[in-house]
């Protein structure tokens, strides 16, 4: 399946666990200064809910890629492993496999500047407000 090169698969169903809901890479990067966990799926539907639950479970440094992998492909951004998924027509739907949640590895995100662009998607503990993260702003 297609994914961003540095992505690590994280099944969002793991969030329902009462003990150890996260994979080790998330525990390692959780609330670390200058590190962001960027969640994405095919079209942002699953990743948004996953980010909200992660935030509620104490992960403050989580973002969602606006438009998901679909927008990444539409904008012609590279760094993909595997063939890009077909962009569905308005009458078709992506397969369930294309909608699994992924997050970028802490190593790749840690190497980005700690001052992330203002257009990133994040949840703020003060305002609990969702703001979109624009992929073109970051990786073009």
């Amino acid at each position: 399946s297609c994914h961003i090169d540095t992505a690590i698969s994280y099944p969002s169903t793991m969030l329902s666990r009462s003990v150890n809901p996260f994979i080790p890479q998330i525990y390692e990067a959780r609330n670390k200064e200058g590190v962001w966990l960027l969640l994405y799926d095919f079209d942002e539907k699953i990743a948004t809910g996953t980010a909200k639950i992660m935030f509620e479970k104490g992960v403050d440094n989580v973002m969602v890629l606006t438009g998901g992998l679909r927008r990444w492909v539409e904008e012609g951004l590279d760094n993909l492993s595997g063939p890009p998924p077909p962009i569905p027509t308005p009458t078709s739907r992506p397969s369930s496999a294309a909608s699994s949640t992924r997050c970028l590895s802490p190593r790749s995100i840690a190497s980005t500047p700690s001052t992330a662009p203002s257009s990133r998607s994040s949840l703020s503990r003060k305002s609990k407000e969702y703001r979109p993260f624009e992929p073109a702003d970051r990786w073009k």
Side-chain angles (χ1 to χ4, degrees):
S1 72
C2 180
H3 62 274
I4 298 172
D5 286 335
T6 57
I8 298 169
S9 182
Y10 174 73
S12 59
T13 55
M14 289 181 66
L15 287 171
S16 63
R17 294 180 176 179
S18 60
V19 178
N20 296 327
F22 303 122
I23 57 176
Q25 293 90 338
I26 293 176
Y27 281 115
E28 177 186 326
R30 182 173 61 180
N31 303 331
K32 200 172 195 178
E33 186 71 29
V35 176
W36 293 96
L37 296 169
L38 177 63
L39 303 182
Y40 73 96
D41 57 22
F42 181 76
D43 56 6
E44 190 185 340
K45 292 178 182 173
I46 295 172
T48 303
T50 301
K52 182 178 185 239
I53 294 168
M54 287 177 74
F55 179 76
E56 290 168 353
K57 289 186 178 266
V59 180
D60 293 342
N61 57 335
V62 63
M63 298 187 293
V64 173
L65 183 65
T66 299
L69 189 60
R70 175 186 184 147
R71 182 157 175 209
W72 189 281
V73 171
E74 286 174 342
E75 294 204 14
L77 301 172
D78 53 5
N79 302 64
L80 293 178
S81 292
I87 303 302
T89 60
T91 58
S92 67
R93 294 182 174 184
S95 69
S96 60
S99 294
S100 62
T101 305
R102 296 186 181 269
C103 64
L104 294 180
S105 73
R107 285 187 304 264
S108 66
I109 296 174
S111 65
T112 62
S114 61
T115 54
S118 61
S119 62
R120 71 175 176 261
S121 163
S122 64
L123 295 170
S124 165
R125 284 254 179 239
K126 291 180 183 173
S127 66
K128 296 192 179 182
E129 172 185 319
Y130 174 80
R131 291 172 289 163
F133 174 83
E134 300 294 332
D137 294 343
R138 191 71 164 152
W139 288 290
K140 265 199 173 179

